Amino acid sequence: MSQVSSMAMRPPMWKRMLSVRSALRVALVAVLLVVGGVVALIGERFLAGPGATNETRVKTFTDWRVICPPYNPQQPNCALTLDVLRDTGGVLLTVSMLDPAPNSSLSVTVPHGVALDAGMGFSVGSDPMRVRPFETCNNTGCIALVTADADTLRSLSTNMSGQVVVAVAGNTSPVTIPFSLNGFADGFAELQRAKASRTGFFSFLSR
């Protein structure tokens, strides 16, 4: 008796087949929508022409900027950058980061004329001063690298300012150059997103 009742409660075979077909039809529609979206994005990139991929994109986060140059597979990263301007015009200090990964380098560029042997002092908030050697000089200025470990990144993201200290030939006192950290945390998050979009599986869609 119980066997007959259970068989009676089960839906007929044709209804179960219809249910399976309906599920497959819904799944097929979902797949087609996803594929169609990807194809549309690819078509948009191709129809936009080469000029669309050869433009520099800049996003501003208070005092910091994220600059994404035209995509280059050999160097796909964007840059998180801050410029400190002189009162009389021109750039006094540039701080920039290309890679948001921990233990990457923060590049600090100061004008020519600094005492290279003395190195460069770097500190954030109340953190102790770190002295870094100058790595090289180019037509822009002289460059020192600061390791952006987890503690440094935390300090950069949670403090309002930092400072760079250099010795200048002919000056008896060191020169202190303060720099703002307003917008660093948001800019850093954008740099992480930009790196992921340029190096991910569908990176060509975001160029």
Side-chain angles (χ1 to χ4, degrees), residues 85-165:
L85 304 180
R86 301 174 186 267
D87 293 336
T88 56
V91 178
L92 180 61
L93 173 74
T94 298
V95 184
S96 63
M97 173 184 287
L98 294 176
D99 191 349
N103 299 315
S104 59
S105 293
L106 196 68
S107 174
V108 182
T109 305
V110 296
H112 297 106
V114 298
L116 299 179
D117 293 340
M120 180 202 74
F122 180 91
S123 68
V124 175
S126 60
D127 292 350
M129 181 74 65
R130 286 188 281 176
V131 178
R132 302 297 303 156
F134 287 103
E135 303 289 338
T136 187
C137 293
N138 55 25
N139 59 347
T140 303
C142 295
I143 302 169
L145 301 179
V146 177
T147 301
D149 56 22
D151 290 338
T152 301
L153 289 173
R154 189 179 304 109
S155 293
L156 290 167
S157 298
T158 57
N159 283 282
M160 300 299 293
S161 65
Q163 61 180 0
V164 166
V165 180

